[in-house]
Amino acid sequence: MGESGEILDIKIADIKATAPRFHHESVALAHALTKLKHGLAEAGKPWGDDEQGEKFHKSYGPHVQQIEHATKILVAGLASIHEAMVDMADGHIDNEELIRSMFSRIRTGHDAKGDHR
């Protein structure tokens, strides 16, 4: 529980303000990956075709693919966090409105004359 005794202290404005950052970083990371892939493709095999160059590429090549794959997963993950935060904020607003409407229909047990029902 929070200090005020609330079980959930969700600040919708904070969620909505923070969510776009995940989208922005997802896009930035995707651009960085594209730049890396193009840069590596343009560089070709700067380590050469000799024995040392082949040994280097044998160790280096698979890691490039792993890095690209892992980065794609991170890009998708950041984008999904953005979407989830927006959905969570919207869902919380909808839930609060539903609860508010349910409790607004509850009577206190007394009619207008003060008689107990």
Side-chain angles (χ1 to χ4, degrees):
M1 280 196 199
E3 290 180 25
S4 64
E6 295 178 6
I7 294 173
L8 293 176
D9 186 20
I10 298 173
K11 295 183 178 26
I12 302 303
D14 291 345
I15 292 172
K16 288 194 174 219
T18 302
R21 293 180 190 166
F22 288 93
H23 173 72
H24 172 75
E25 296 305 327
S26 174
V27 170
L29 186 56
H31 286 296
L33 176 60
T34 300
K35 189 174 180 177
L36 174 66
K37 288 172 73 171
H38 288 311
L40 291 174
E42 288 175 5
K45 292 171 105 180
W47 46 84
D49 288 331
D50 62 0
E51 184 180 339
Q52 285 297 96
E54 290 299 320
K55 284 181 183 178
F56 174 80
H57 183 67
K58 202 173 210 176
S59 296
Y60 169 76
H63 293 293
V64 171
Q65 293 171 347
Q66 290 172 343
I67 290 169
E68 288 175 2
H69 180 70
T71 304
K72 287 177 185 178
I73 291 170
L74 288 171
V75 167
L78 289 170
S80 69
I81 291 171
H82 167 253
E83 292 169 13
M85 289 180 79
V86 170
D87 288 347
M88 181 175 65
D90 292 343
H92 186 70
I93 291 169
D94 292 343
N95 191 44
E96 279 193 353
E97 289 173 1
L98 174 65
I99 291 170
R100 192 174 295 115
S101 72
M102 288 173 17
F103 282 104
S104 68
R105 292 184 229 141
I106 295 175
R107 297 181 180 233
T108 60
H110 297 279
D111 65 12
K113 296 178 188 175
D115 297 332
H116 187 70
R117 290 187 177 185

